[in-house]
Amino acid sequence: MNGFLTAVRCSKMRFPTAILNHPVESLHFHHHLLIKPFSSIASLPVDHHHHHHHDPNPNPNPDPLQPDLPTQLFSILSRPNWLKHPSLKKLVPSISPSHVSSVFSLNLHQLDPQTALSFFYWISQNKPGFQHNVQSHSSLLHILIHYHFIGAAEKIRISMIKSCQSQDDAAFVLDTLRRMSRENSNGEFQFKFTLKSYNMLLMSLSKFLMIEEMKRVYLEMLGDMISPNIYTLNTMVNGYCKLGNVVEAELYVSKILQAGLNPDTFTYTSLILGHCRNKDVDRAYRVFNLMPQKGCRRNEVSYTNLIHGLCEATRVDDALKLFSQMREDYCHPTVRTYTVIICALCGLGRKEEALKFFKVMTEKGCEPNVHTYTVIIDSMCKEHRLDKARQLLDRMLEKRMVPSVVTYNALIDGFCKEGQTEAALEILGLMELNKCSPNARTYNELIYGFCKYKNVHKAMALLHKMLESKLSPSLVTYNSLIHGQCRAGHLDSACRLLNMMNKDGLVPDKWTYSVFIDTLCKRGRVEEARALFDSLKEKNLQANEVIYTALIDGYCKAGRIDDAQSLLNKMLSEDCLPNSVTYNVLIDGLCKEKKVREALLLVDEMVKMGVKPTAVTHTILIEEMLKEGDFDHAHRVFNQMVSSGYQPDVFTYTTFIHAYCSQGRLKEAEDVMSKMNREGVLPDSLTYTLIIDAYGRLGLIHSAFDVLKRMFDAGCEPSHYTYICLIKHLSNEKRVTENSNAVGLEFVSITASIDFVDVWKVMEFENALELFEKMVEWGCVPNVNTYGKLIIGLCKIERFEVAQRLFNHLQEKGMSPTEDIYNSLLNCCCVLGMYDEAVRLVATMVELGHLPHLESYRLLICGLYDQGNKERAEAVFCKLLHCGYNHDEVAWKLLIDGLLKRGLVDRCSQLYDIMEKKGCQVHPQTFSMLIEGLDGT
């Protein structure tokens, strides 16, 4: 036994911390120290008052024999003709604000102030995109003050205040300037604040909502005997109003009056904002109406603040009235005015009006900004108009606008909800290309999308990306993934996620448990589901209607109607109100047990409880009556349903079609189909397939293909049942026309009476070709979906040769097989032990960017080891690690469920070693499971 895991196992008793700490972290930490290039600044003495920001342009891999960049710069700036120095131009691309800061702060008394000032301006003009930060300003300021360059220092002080990008910057500037104004206690020279610098500083603090600091600075200003002017007092009013603190703001309004000054447009506009932030729109309106009386002109901001307040209070029509009044006041709506209204209209579902405003603003020459576009894009996505939303994003990019993370998220969410996960990934790619960092919400939306559409491996890979981006998964992330794993049938993986989630300090909620209870019930493990349900109390969780419904459904499916009914009673006694879904599963259970009378009584009870029967309720009853052959009663229930205002859905109509088809009453079935079309209810693949099968059974193969043509024209994808049904009936027709063909007879005599599943067992490649020929004849050209349905069906019952011939035929026709087709072939190869073929398929898939399923990888790697082909198994494993899989899932599926379950402990240890060497980090919980697995063998 060898490898890292083995070493940890052996040292487990002596060093229990090896299990608690991450196995890879310590190694990576040392490795990181060895490879990280030493920054030229790291070794320099630092001014402890500086918060060094992340350097956007660090000096890459400096040559240890070369002097560092600040030293080189100082040596150039020390010369009288520094501008003409040949090395200066070469250094420019590498110079960042922190390099400037280092040159100035390290050579405070040696640099000529005029040179320092000239270089400061020169670099910002000669390097595109260069912006001095607060630290580079501060270090220049120290030089200028040291040499008493007061005029220049005052300009740099103002520039420094303006360069603040964050609260931290503002705090740094405040601290630096305060110390500078009190530098010399002996009173020789102090760089005192002027009225202008005080005002600029207050504005900066107001911008970052640092109200307490503003108050202190205002008092310091009074202490310095500097009289506040209207700008000072207005800034104070505005600062408090931004927080909705109108009481405090009005104290400063009274100071304006006490100083013999007049409140101006800015003062009143701030008060309007304050009242609106305080949710008191009527007071804001009073201030707005007062302005002309006080001789103050209302401006665009006054209007926009009030319009925003009205929109926030959902008084959009009042806001629209005010908007139309702007022109009379000679005010032109700004981009913010339009955006506020567009946003409010979208929020109220008045999408068409919002679009009209969007159009009007562009026509009036008011260019929408990122926020405007984002609101419209989000609205388009919610309306399922994804093409339009995508066009708007493209328009933004064409105009060189920088979409925000919110813009991209709106599109990703839209695509994911529609199941267009590849399009959503494309947006993620665009985001990364445009240097916009995805946030936790981006990943949560993508993970939800992939899990909803049963692609949980890609969702897990996104969890991996999320962790790499230092973003923390939330309860929402884990719940989506647990749901995805359960839907894909991987209950073990879902349980492991639950453990990981607990270890990360997240507390599972009722949604987490509802997924587990539902999955256990669907697998017929009702007792385990009940035990989990009973354990909720000790977890301080109250079961909700979703959990109760899942368990009631589980009991019904297991034929335990009494248990289901007693659970409904328990639900009512716990004051948890059943919804229509709860009643529907119980009504369905009663019908399946032929207890129709009880089912009808339960419908009455449901109505008494104030829960309205739905289309599903009626459909369940209709289905049972049709099964009994009671068409009249079924029609009565249908008519009652329509007169009660319930719109029958595709399931209701399909129930009737099924009943008619099973009796060979095709005219009635087609009448129901026509009625569906008239009512605007789209038939699904089952609806069409039932009619195709009915025509086929009557030997009317032409009519069956007519229905297939209708299906294609309606854009409804046929299912594998549709195709296998047609193959079955085509063969029957062949038997009738070619009685002499023994092989055909053998196949057909079987298919005439057998189930769909058995057709897969006897169909040959030629049968598929006959189907394709007939489809072309009817104008239904076989597409990749046609081939896919047949290949996947054949692979499920291990008929690899026929599936492979279809696969080759598909490629000969110039079509690209989908990821699902590849995965079904791969799985089939692995199950049949055809490992050479499987290795070839994996290589092709990886090359095409498809993700081979981990279940297939497990079979393949274990199979290669069984054959004694260690090198090949390791090579396949190494390739797999480059596919972007989640490392925990790799460890679970391959190492724990694969190798350890087969007792291949050494192999497990060796493969984990490979993971570790490639820097693959697993969760401490997974690592503990590996150790336990090794120790348990």
Side-chain angles (χ1 to χ4, degrees):
M1 199 187 289
N2 57 12
F4 179 73
L5 274 177
T6 318
V8 173
R9 253 188 92 203
C10 298
S11 63
K12 188 176 170 189
M13 296 310 292
R14 287 178 294 126
F15 303 107
T17 50
I19 300 158
L20 299 173
N21 295 330
H22 202 291
V24 190
E25 264 170 20
S26 55
L27 274 171
H28 278 274
F29 179 68
H30 293 301
H31 179 60
H32 187 63
L33 281 183
L34 290 172
I35 61 163
K36 192 170 189 250
F38 283 99
S39 160
S40 53
I41 306 159
S43 54
L44 300 171
V46 177
D47 177 347
H48 289 289
H49 298 295
H50 293 193
H51 305 286
H52 280 282
H53 280 214
H54 172 65
D55 201 338
N57 273 311
N59 192 16
N61 303 326
D63 181 341
L65 299 174
Q66 285 285 324
D68 62 30
L69 204 144
T71 310
Q72 287 174 280
L73 261 180
F74 174 64
S75 121
I76 293 167
L77 294 174
S78 306
R79 299 163 192 239
N81 56 349
W82 60 270
L83 255 174
K84 292 182 180 151
H85 197 285
S87 304
L88 187 61
K89 281 237 159 65
K90 284 182 217 154
L91 290 181
V92 166
S94 307
I95 298 172
S96 72
S98 57
H99 291 130
V100 175
S101 188
S102 294
V103 176
F104 290 170
S105 54
L106 293 172
N107 306 285
L108 183 66
H109 304 310
Q110 292 132 294
L111 260 180
D112 170 58
Q114 196 54 60
T115 303
L117 195 61
S118 302
F119 173 70
F120 183 87
Y121 286 125
W122 180 86
I123 186 68
S124 58
Q125 285 156 6
N126 285 275
K127 181 175 174 181
F130 185 96
Q131 279 187 319
H132 282 290
N133 61 15
V134 289
Q135 284 82 9
S136 57
H137 277 93
S138 164
S139 46
L140 174 63
L141 212 44
H142 277 101
I143 293 175
L144 297 174
I145 290 165
H146 179 77
Y147 287 102
H148 289 223
F149 271 53
I150 302 307
E154 177 60 15
K155 276 187 186 148
I156 295 298
R157 174 161 61 185
I158 298 295
S159 170
M160 179 184 180
I161 296 168
K162 283 182 178 171
S163 75
C164 289
Q165 298 290 317
S166 65
Q167 274 200 8
D168 285 349
D169 281 358
F172 171 79
V173 167
L174 182 57
D175 183 43
T176 305
L177 295 181
R178 265 191 185 133
R179 276 185 296 103
M180 282 182 176
S181 72
R182 309 189 174 89
E183 208 100 283
N184 295 324
S185 53
N186 55 12
E188 275 177 33
F189 166 70
Q190 286 175 303
F191 185 45
K192 284 281 190 192
F193 280 103
T194 58
L195 176 62
K196 186 177 180 182
S197 53
Y198 263 124
N199 281 348
M200 292 302 297
L201 190 56
L202 286 169
M203 273 184 192
S204 179
L205 294 169
S206 170
K207 183 181 171 185
F208 300 110
L209 301 178
M210 296 164 77
I211 308 299
E212 286 308 308
E213 285 84 347
M214 280 180 77
K215 197 171 187 176
R216 273 200 293 279
V217 169
Y218 179 79
L219 293 171
E220 284 165 18
M221 183 179 179
L222 297 180
D224 271 355
M225 300 303 191
I226 290 178
S227 295
N229 62 8
I230 188 75
Y231 298 111
T232 323
L233 296 163
N234 268 345
T235 304
M236 296 305 291
V237 170
N238 188 250
Y240 282 106
C241 283
K242 277 180 186 168
L243 294 182
N245 188 345
V246 188
V247 176
E248 202 80 22
E250 281 176 341
L251 291 178
Y252 288 93
V253 176
S254 59
K255 289 184 202 297
I256 293 174
L257 298 166
Q258 283 160 22
L261 302 163
N262 287 321
D264 58 11
T265 298
F266 190 89
T267 325
Y268 289 116
T269 299
S270 294
L271 287 171
I272 290 168
L273 174 74
H275 287 306
C276 288
R277 290 264 159 100
N278 217 3
K279 309 265 184 287
D280 193 344
V281 192
D282 293 332
R283 279 219 170 139
Y285 235 130
R286 282 206 285 278
V287 174
F288 182 80
N289 290 331
L290 188 72
M291 286 175 79
Q293 295 166 33
K294 295 284 181 185
C296 266
R297 187 181 167 269
R298 295 187 286 226
N299 64 11
E300 286 79 3
V301 186
S302 326
Y303 271 98
T304 305
N305 284 352
L306 186 51
I307 285 169
H308 191 214
L310 288 164
C311 287
E312 294 260 282
T314 64
R315 289 166 59 180
V316 180
D317 292 321
D318 290 343
L320 291 171
K321 210 191 290 174
L322 196 61
F323 177 85
S324 60
Q325 208 180 299
M326 284 180 82
R327 296 208 182 280
E328 295 164 26
D329 233 342
Y330 303 104
C331 284
H332 297 284
T334 63
V335 63
R336 187 168 169 260
T337 324
Y338 280 110
T339 305
V340 159
I341 286 179
I342 288 168
C343 190
L345 289 168
C346 285
L348 290 175
R350 293 160 67 172
K351 307 280 165 67
E352 290 312 311
E353 286 174 81
L355 280 173
K356 210 178 284 173
F357 260 90
F358 185 71
K359 195 164 172 256
V360 165
M361 78 185 282
T362 39
E363 284 167 1
K364 300 258 186 213
C366 178
E367 197 54 55
N369 63 14
V370 172
H371 186 198
T372 327
Y373 273 107
T374 303
V375 170
I376 293 287
I377 286 171
D378 186 49
S379 175
M380 292 289 119
C381 289
K382 286 191 170 73
E383 289 221 315
H384 315 291
R385 292 165 68 181
L386 294 169
D387 290 345
K388 174 81 176 156
R390 180 63 216 257
Q391 282 165 15
L392 285 167
L393 177 74
D394 292 339
R395 199 196 298 176
M396 282 179 85
L397 295 169
E398 275 164 30
K399 290 185 173 181
R400 302 277 165 103
M401 292 173 89
V402 182
S404 70
V405 70
V406 183
T407 323
Y408 289 113
N409 282 355
L411 270 159
I412 286 172
D413 187 43
F415 282 123
C416 284
K417 288 209 166 96
E418 290 293 305
Q420 296 182 40
T421 43
E422 290 310 312
L425 275 184
E426 203 181 301
I427 301 291
L428 181 70
L430 256 183
M431 239 177 136
E432 288 165 344
L433 192 72
N434 292 325
K435 306 275 183 297
C436 176
S437 298
N439 59 14
R441 185 165 181 174
T442 320
Y443 285 109
N444 281 343
E445 281 163 359
L446 283 161
I447 286 168
Y448 170 81
F450 278 112
C451 287
K452 188 180 175 190
Y453 293 94
K454 293 188 181 172
N455 204 335
V456 72
H457 292 318
K458 282 196 177 163
M460 289 293 288
L462 284 161
L463 171 70
H464 180 68
K465 268 191 91 167
M466 187 178 185
L467 292 165
E468 273 185 337
S469 306
K470 302 279 180 285
L471 294 166
S472 298
S474 64
L475 194 56
V476 173
T477 324
Y478 277 112
N479 279 352
S480 290
L481 288 165
I482 286 169
H483 194 213
Q485 293 285 8
C486 285
R487 281 186 71 169
H490 310 315
L491 196 56
D492 287 351
S493 297
C495 291
R496 287 161 183 162
L497 278 166
L498 184 66
N499 291 334
M500 266 172 66
M501 178 177 169
N502 282 319
K503 282 277 184 292
D504 287 348
L506 291 167
V507 181
D509 62 3
K510 51 185 75 171
W511 296 108
T512 322
Y513 290 111
S514 72
V515 173
F516 279 106
I517 288 167
D518 186 46
T519 306
L520 287 166
C521 286
K522 283 190 169 66
R523 289 186 164 201
R525 292 158 66 175
V526 188
E527 286 310 317
E528 289 171 72
R530 182 62 195 243
L532 185 54
F533 173 85
D534 290 336
S535 74
L536 292 180
K537 263 218 162 71
E538 66 206 43
K539 294 182 172 79
N540 287 327
L541 284 172
Q542 181 80 37
N544 60 7
E545 71 278 12
V546 177
I547 295 175
Y548 271 108
T549 304
L551 195 49
I552 289 170
D553 191 35
Y555 279 133
C556 288
K557 298 272 193 303
R560 292 166 60 177
I561 296 293
D562 293 346
D563 288 325
Q565 283 185 308
S566 67
L567 196 59
L568 178 70
N569 295 334
K570 178 179 165 61
M571 186 178 182
L572 291 163
S573 70
E574 298 272 343
D575 284 335
C576 177
L577 294 177
N579 57 21
S580 59
V581 184
T582 322
Y583 281 109
N584 286 344
V585 296
L586 197 44
I587 290 164
D588 188 46
L590 287 164
C591 286
K592 296 266 189 305
E593 295 286 308
K594 305 292 174 205
K595 296 181 174 179
V596 182
R597 258 184 64 76
E598 286 177 50
L600 289 165
L601 286 171
L602 193 57
V603 175
D604 293 340
E605 201 178 301
M606 177 180 181
V607 174
K608 275 182 204 151
M609 289 294 295
V611 180
K612 288 185 174 177
T614 63
V616 177
T617 323
H618 291 95
T619 304
I620 292 164
L621 295 168
I622 288 167
E623 187 181 13
E624 192 48 44
M625 283 151 196
L626 290 171
K627 271 185 194 163
E628 300 286 317
D630 193 346
F631 280 80
D632 290 344
H633 197 174
H635 277 292
R636 277 204 303 280
V637 174
F638 181 87
N639 293 333
Q640 187 189 333
M641 172 185 180
V642 174
S643 61
S644 302
Y646 296 104
Q647 176 64 46
D649 60 13
V650 65
F651 302 107
T652 322
Y653 287 112
T654 303
T655 304
F656 277 103
I657 287 171
H658 186 212
Y660 285 126
C661 286
S662 59
Q663 291 192 4
R665 294 163 65 180
L666 274 156
K667 190 194 174 301
E668 283 104 323
E670 287 282 21
D671 287 346
V672 175
M673 193 74 129
S674 305
K675 186 169 185 171
M676 283 178 86
N677 288 325
R678 282 199 305 276
E679 297 294 330
V681 179
L682 294 176
D684 62 12
S685 72
L686 177 62
T687 324
Y688 284 111
T689 304
L690 286 167
I691 294 185
I692 287 170
D693 187 39
Y695 278 123
R697 277 188 282 117
L698 292 174
L700 301 168
I701 205 81
H702 282 63
S703 302
F705 274 95
D706 281 339
V707 178
L708 182 74
K709 176 77 171 97
R710 271 155 51 192
M711 195 174 183
F712 260 74
D713 291 347
C716 176
E717 283 283 9
S719 69
H720 58 288
Y721 288 122
T722 321
Y723 291 121
I724 210 70
C725 188
L726 286 163
I727 284 174
K728 174 179 160 177
H729 297 308
L730 271 174
S731 303
N732 280 337
E733 189 190 46
K734 200 174 177 187
R735 179 188 58 171
V736 175
T737 54
E738 294 177 25
N739 269 337
S740 58
N741 186 331
V743 179
L745 255 174
E746 184 194 329
F747 175 70
V748 169
S749 58
I750 300 168
T751 57
S753 58
I754 59 173
D755 194 6
F756 282 154
V757 180
D758 299 312
V759 181
W760 293 115
K761 292 178 185 170
V762 288
M763 84 167 263
E764 295 299 334
F765 179 60
E766 288 66 33
N767 299 121
L769 290 185
E770 282 164 23
L771 170 70
F772 297 159
E773 212 175 290
K774 211 70 169 162
M775 284 175 72
V776 171
E777 205 182 304
W778 251 262
C780 310
V781 181
N783 55 25
V784 73
N785 172 62
T786 318
Y787 282 92
K789 294 287 187 271
L790 295 176
I791 291 167
I792 292 165
L794 288 160
C795 285
K796 273 182 185 160
I797 59 155
E798 298 165 28
R799 300 209 45 219
F800 183 74
E801 282 176 32
V802 184
Q804 192 172 37
R805 286 185 72 183
L806 277 169
F807 178 79
N808 295 337
H809 197 261
L810 160 71
Q811 289 187 305
E812 283 161 22
K813 292 281 179 189
M815 288 182 255
S816 300
T818 63
E819 190 172 293
D820 285 344
I821 293 174
Y822 273 111
N823 268 315
S824 62
L825 283 166
L826 174 62
N827 189 58
C828 191
C829 279
C830 293
V831 169
L832 294 170
M834 299 165 62
Y835 301 123
D836 289 348
E837 183 62 38
V839 170
R840 274 199 296 277
L841 270 168
V842 163
T844 309
M845 286 180 79
V846 171
E847 204 176 300
L848 291 169
H850 293 318
L851 213 52
H853 286 169
L854 283 173
E855 288 72 22
S856 301
Y857 267 124
R858 179 179 66 226
L859 293 170
L860 176 55
I861 288 169
C862 290
L864 289 169
Y865 276 132
D866 288 345
Q867 283 185 346
N869 206 335
K870 178 178 177 289
E871 286 74 23
R872 206 162 188 195
E874 287 183 1
V876 169
F877 186 72
C878 286
K879 266 196 180 147
L880 142 75
L881 294 177
H882 292 293
C883 289
Y885 268 108
N886 178 284
H887 298 150
D888 287 297
E889 218 183 8
V890 170
W892 300 341
K893 297 275 169 71
L894 269 70
L895 306 187
I896 297 169
D897 294 347
L899 301 174
L900 287 180
K901 270 192 183 160
R902 290 182 184 218
L904 300 171
V905 180
D906 286 1
R907 302 288 179 244
C908 174
S909 188
Q910 284 156 5
L911 291 191
Y912 187 79
D913 250 4
I914 289 172
M915 283 182 80
E916 199 211 334
K917 279 186 191 121
K918 289 191 177 290
C920 302
Q921 296 194 24
V922 297
H923 193 278
Q925 172 70 18
T926 304
F927 185 61
S928 299
M929 285 168 67
L930 281 163
I931 297 293
E932 281 163 32
L934 286 167
D935 279 358
T937 50

